Amino acid sequence: MGQSHRRVVTGAALLALLPVALTGCGLAGGDDADGGSGAGAQQQAPAEEAAAKSRERVQAYLDAMAAKDVDAGRSQLCAPMQAAFDAAATGPNGDFADHFTVPQSTITDVRSGPHGQEVSTAVTVAVGSRTATRPLLFTVTRSGADWCIAGEAPGGNTPEPSTTP
């Protein structure tokens, strides 16, 4: 009977110490060393990375469009979009058409959307002496370990108010 009692006490002690051990490993939602909560810090980092990578991809595409660098533009796109890009990019209404220039482009908003990160832009296009600024909405997704543009459509999101003090 002494042996059975010892097993019960040992098991109870282990169960009592389990939450402490899990907290020490960061598995039970304890505070991080920097004072933030484990779940919040883990969720914030991927969201910030997604916004930064999406912004980088779209900016690289806009830069390629201004420079008329078709290869650089193609390299920002997800594989399924590349065939359509090759067929239309330098056509009369394509992003890389010879008859117009892109004197200015601006990223106006980056936010999470239903199909990935939505990056809103304002692109100014000039043909001769005429210019027009049009909103374009890019959808950026993660493809394996990298990010790529999965969609481009007219329009965009209204910029969200800044939350920085």
Side-chain angles (χ1 to χ4, degrees), residues 118-134:
E118 293 180 347
V119 181
S120 300
T121 64
V123 178
T124 301
V125 177
V127 178
S129 63
R130 296 177 48 194
T131 63
T133 301
R134 298 289 184 250

Side-chain angles (χ1 to χ4, degrees), residues 3-42:
Q3 190 74 336
S4 175
H5 179 69
R6 199 174 300 164
R7 285 185 191 164
V8 170
V9 171
T10 302
L14 288 173
L15 286 175
L17 292 174
L18 184 62
V20 174
L22 291 176
T23 300
C25 293
L27 297 175
D31 287 346
D32 292 345
D34 65 358
S37 71
Q42 290 173 358

Side-chain angles (χ1 to χ4, degrees), residues 42-129:
Q42 290 173 358
Q43 292 297 324
Q44 189 64 19
E48 289 174 1
E49 177 191 14
K53 294 293 185 177
S54 298
R55 180 180 287 277
E56 287 173 18
R57 283 294 179 180
V58 171
Q59 187 61 56
Y61 186 83
L62 294 173
D63 292 346
M65 192 170 28
K68 300 289 184 207
D69 188 341
V70 176
D71 291 334
R74 181 186 306 105
S75 70
Q76 305 309 315
L77 303 176
C78 297
M81 279 195 64
Q82 291 178 356
F85 173 84
D86 290 340
T90 58
N93 294 321
D95 289 348
F96 293 79
D98 287 332
H99 65 280
F100 69 80
T101 60
V102 180
Q104 183 178 2
S105 59
T106 307
I107 294 175
T108 59
D109 187 65
V110 180
R111 67 177 72 175
S112 292
H115 303 291
Q117 293 293 307
E118 293 180 347
V119 181
S120 300
T121 64
V123 178
T124 301
V125 177
V127 178
S129 63

